[in-house]
Amino acid sequence: MSPLSFERTASRDLVHRRAIGEVLLTDHWIRLATHRFKVGAQWPRGHGFYSPVNDRWHDPLLAAESIRQASSLVSHVFYDLPRDHPTLMTELSTDLDPDALLLDDRPVDVELAIACKDVVLHANRLAGMTMDVLLSRGATEMGHARMVFNCMRGSVYRRLRGAYAEAPARLPAQPEALPPREVGRVVEADVVLGRPLEGGGGDRHERVWPLRVNWSHPTLFDHPTDHVPGMLLLEAARQAAHSLAGPGAVLAASMSNHFHRYVEFDTPCLVRAWLPDPPQGSGPRRVRVAAEQRGAVVYECTLTVHDASAPWGGSR
């Protein structure tokens, strides 16, 4: 069996990206069995948005974006899903070893070993599946991931979405951004949370912010979309965890994300975060996040975050 190659990127349309610089997957993949595959990814030492955490760790959201891109590639290449068929992500979870995310002096070549299960076919057309993924760099296991998604014909999607099937002509006025340093960012354009709502949280371990959307963002909006992208919600959860569990940098080594419905552009969305457990020393902390729109919970995330500003002595 030939090894994976990391010489060139995968075709942009296979991973639903317009900019070459946003493509993380490489152009060689292997079928191991009917529903088992290997796919390569390369993570740069620096990325315009998924930048290193405290100049020491690869951003864990690179893993989430790699899995998202892999779901598209696997669907198109191995299951012949037409490239114009929309997909709906309902779950995306990652559990990574912080030590395996440490930067070195070169980009990291990541191997994704993918096992697809609960594969649903309608008239021999892919309708959904669960992907279990083992991520490795060389002989080192980086962690595991899981993604659940559904696929549908464009006509079904348009009927499902109704008036929301097209991107709106303009965005409503967006809330004032939090200072970038409060959420682990350098520039305001990368901030996806507005200033916290007064009285929104019950105590100092709970806060509420309005979600901010920036259509001009080159990564989160690499191409137009009719709803808030899932990766923007992951970033909102990460920024909320940073604000709540900081003030120093945090490394979100584990994220369990559940998407209950589309998040629309025309209605305010609130991001609520809280610490479900009392603080215990300097070890990892658990943060819960929920996004609410029109009185309903539309997205939930549980994060395990490590203090990335303290001297590092290995996994804790």
Side-chain angles (χ1 to χ4, degrees):
M1 180 185 300
S2 60
L4 292 173
S5 169
F6 299 91
E7 295 300 316
R8 291 178 296 274
T9 61
S11 175
R12 290 172 295 166
D13 62 338
L14 285 177
V15 298
H16 298 184
R17 296 283 91 180
R18 283 188 174 176
I20 293 174
E22 299 298 334
V23 178
L24 299 177
L25 301 190
T26 55
D27 71 342
H28 184 65
W29 38 82
I30 302 169
R31 183 169 221 148
L32 303 173
T34 302
H35 300 298
R36 293 177 56 239
F37 317 97
K38 280 190 178 181
V39 176
Q42 187 177 83
W43 297 354
R45 295 169 64 196
H47 184 277
F49 183 64
Y50 300 119
S51 52
V53 178
N54 207 24
D55 296 323
R56 298 179 66 190
W57 289 270
H58 287 283
D59 184 347
L61 264 64
L62 284 168
E65 174 61 12
S66 297
I67 303 306
R68 190 206 63 76
Q69 292 187 17
S71 70
S72 297
L73 186 146
V74 166
S75 297
H76 298 317
V77 171
F78 296 113
Y79 293 94
D80 297 321
L81 183 72
R83 299 188 190 187
D84 62 347
H85 277 44
T87 59
L88 169 61
M89 179 167 58
T90 59
E91 179 183 339
L92 176 57
S93 302
T94 56
D95 187 11
L96 305 171
D97 178 0
D99 289 333
L101 293 172
L102 287 167
L103 293 165
D104 56 24
D105 61 354
R106 65 190 65 192
V108 60
D109 295 336
V110 180
E111 180 182 286
L112 310 177
I114 301 170
C116 300
K117 61 183 184 181
D118 301 327
V119 178
V120 178
L121 302 174
H122 289 163
N124 294 321
R125 181 67 51 80
L126 180 67
M129 69 166 72
T130 297
M131 291 191 342
D132 287 328
V133 185
L134 171 65
L135 297 91
S136 305
R137 58 187 295 183
T140 301
E141 288 190 5
M142 303 182 74
H144 296 81
R146 171 187 171 92
M147 180 174 173
V148 183
F149 63 97
N150 300 313
C151 317
M152 63 192 79
R153 295 179 182 273
S155 58
V156 174
Y157 180 81
R158 289 189 293 273
R159 186 165 63 249
L160 172 69
R161 296 286 286 144
Y164 289 104
E166 301 292 337
R170 62 181 62 86
L171 279 174
Q174 295 299 301
E176 182 182 359
L178 281 172
R181 290 185 61 182
E182 288 190 17
V183 291
R185 284 296 177 182
V186 176
V187 298
E188 183 177 300
D190 291 340
V191 178
V192 300
L193 298 180
R195 293 186 178 271
L197 304 182
E198 292 188 12
D203 56 36
R204 66 187 181 92
H205 298 306
E206 180 180 351
R207 294 178 197 157
V208 181
W209 307 263
L211 185 70
R212 295 184 75 246
V213 175
N214 174 13
W215 271 352
S216 65
H217 197 281
T219 296
L220 295 174
F221 290 94
D222 168 82
H223 57 276
T225 178
D226 60 39
H227 59 275
V228 173
M231 291 302 296
L232 191 156
L233 297 173
L234 265 67
E235 178 63 20
R238 189 250 295 275
Q239 290 188 16
H242 186 286
S243 179
L244 197 61
V250 298
L251 184 75
S254 173
M255 296 183 75
S256 178
N257 303 277
H258 295 269
F259 307 86
H260 300 304
R261 61 181 66 181
Y262 294 104
V263 181
E264 311 296 355
F265 291 123
D266 65 348
T267 306
C269 180
L270 300 181
V271 178
R272 185 182 306 273
W274 65 97
L275 300 173
D277 307 312
Q280 296 182 353
S282 60
R285 304 185 73 179
R286 193 159 61 102
V287 182
R288 295 287 304 276
V289 178
E292 304 165 0
Q293 191 171 55
R294 296 171 181 158
V297 174
V298 291
Y299 161 76
E300 293 180 283
C301 177
T302 300
L303 307 91
T304 300
V305 298
H306 299 252
D307 182 359
S309 61
W312 187 251
S315 298
R316 289 171 284 179

